[in-house]
Amino acid sequence: MGTRSKRSERCHRCRLHTRLCICSAAPHHDLPTRLILVMHRREWAKPTATGPLALAVLANSELRIQGHRERPLDFRDLDTVERRTLLLYPGQDAPVLSRSFLSGDPRPVNLVVPDGSWRQAARMGKRLPGLEHATMVRLPEGSKTGWGVRRECHPAGLATFEAIARALGIIDSAEVQESMEELFSLMVARTLQARG
């Protein structure tokens, strides 16, 4: 029987053990949509966090870390006339993200995605300062998560990478979603392989 070492060296981009790294298979997308991934500082430290892989795939993306009292977040810089800001929010009270929803405002999108559990993402979305101008949106119902590495308490819960891929499939193209989902499937397979 094999043994796992928590001290095994990991790739800094995909976070998998270096022998299982998937970075060479990662697509590279330079999209009009700008991803702003918001992670709690504790989530950032977890090797099972999937959001950081989206940063490696999407050229027009950035990470903002929440939870440092000495460095509070402020999203007022996203409030510009050139772009619209959408906050991906896991709540039934938010409108569903769809092509028809997007057609009402043709500006390119700032997509703000809170990274955490369903409950954390819901709480974070309501507490992020300077996002009063943002429109909350939720994903349409779809297939269940393929992650399976973490226990998901909400039936509609997705890994962050999956949620980003599905959102970009609506905002940008089905091809972008498909290429990201292929990478995610590889990530799942390699993660399960590492766990024996």
Side-chain angles (χ1 to χ4, degrees):
M1 185 189 316
T3 59
R4 289 185 293 149
S5 170
K6 291 193 176 184
R7 294 193 193 106
S8 294
E9 189 177 337
R10 289 182 178 270
C11 172
H12 71 280
R13 292 178 73 213
C14 70
R15 298 182 170 214
L16 291 170
H17 297 292
T18 50
R19 67 184 174 83
L20 299 172
C21 175
I22 59 172
C23 290
S24 63
H28 181 79
H29 296 294
D30 195 353
L31 306 174
T33 302
R34 177 183 174 199
L35 170 68
I36 300 94
L37 180 68
V38 186
M39 296 185 77
H40 192 274
R41 60 185 176 83
R42 290 193 189 113
E43 184 70 16
W44 171 251
K46 295 178 181 176
T48 54
T50 64
L53 185 61
L55 300 171
V57 169
L58 303 169
N60 195 9
S61 63
E62 67 171 281
L63 171 69
R64 299 193 186 188
I65 301 287
Q66 187 191 33
H68 293 292
R69 291 188 183 188
E70 68 280 7
R71 295 192 311 270
L73 292 180
D74 188 344
F75 293 86
R76 285 178 292 184
D77 62 301
L78 301 180
D79 189 7
T80 65
V81 295
E82 296 85 16
R83 302 179 72 85
R84 69 189 294 191
T85 299
L86 302 180
L87 171 63
L88 201 57
Y89 177 75
Q92 291 300 313
D93 50 338
V96 173
L97 180 62
S98 65
R99 298 262 174 180
S100 60
F101 173 85
L102 292 168
S103 67
D105 185 341
R107 292 177 296 168
V109 171
N110 291 322
L111 181 65
V112 180
V113 180
D115 190 352
S117 68
W118 186 279
R119 177 189 265 175
Q120 288 168 336
R123 264 200 326 255
M124 198 187 305
K126 290 183 175 178
R127 294 179 179 173
L128 295 176
L131 272 180
E132 295 79 15
H133 66 283
T135 303
M136 288 185 175
V137 292
R138 63 185 165 98
L139 291 172
E141 288 186 23
S143 56
K144 290 186 176 181
T145 182
W147 192 210
V149 173
R150 288 192 191 174
R151 195 172 353 160
E152 179 53 63
C153 60
H154 196 283
L158 298 171
T160 302
F161 189 91
E162 288 176 300
I164 293 168
R166 291 185 190 187
L168 294 178
I170 297 165
I171 299 168
D172 289 283
S173 75
E175 290 76 23
V176 170
Q177 178 180 349
E178 185 178 335
S179 72
M180 290 181 70
E181 288 178 342
E182 284 177 9
L183 181 66
F184 186 72
S185 294
L186 181 59
M187 182 185 194
V188 171
R190 295 277 175 91
T191 301
L192 295 177
Q193 181 181 342
R195 293 181 170 209

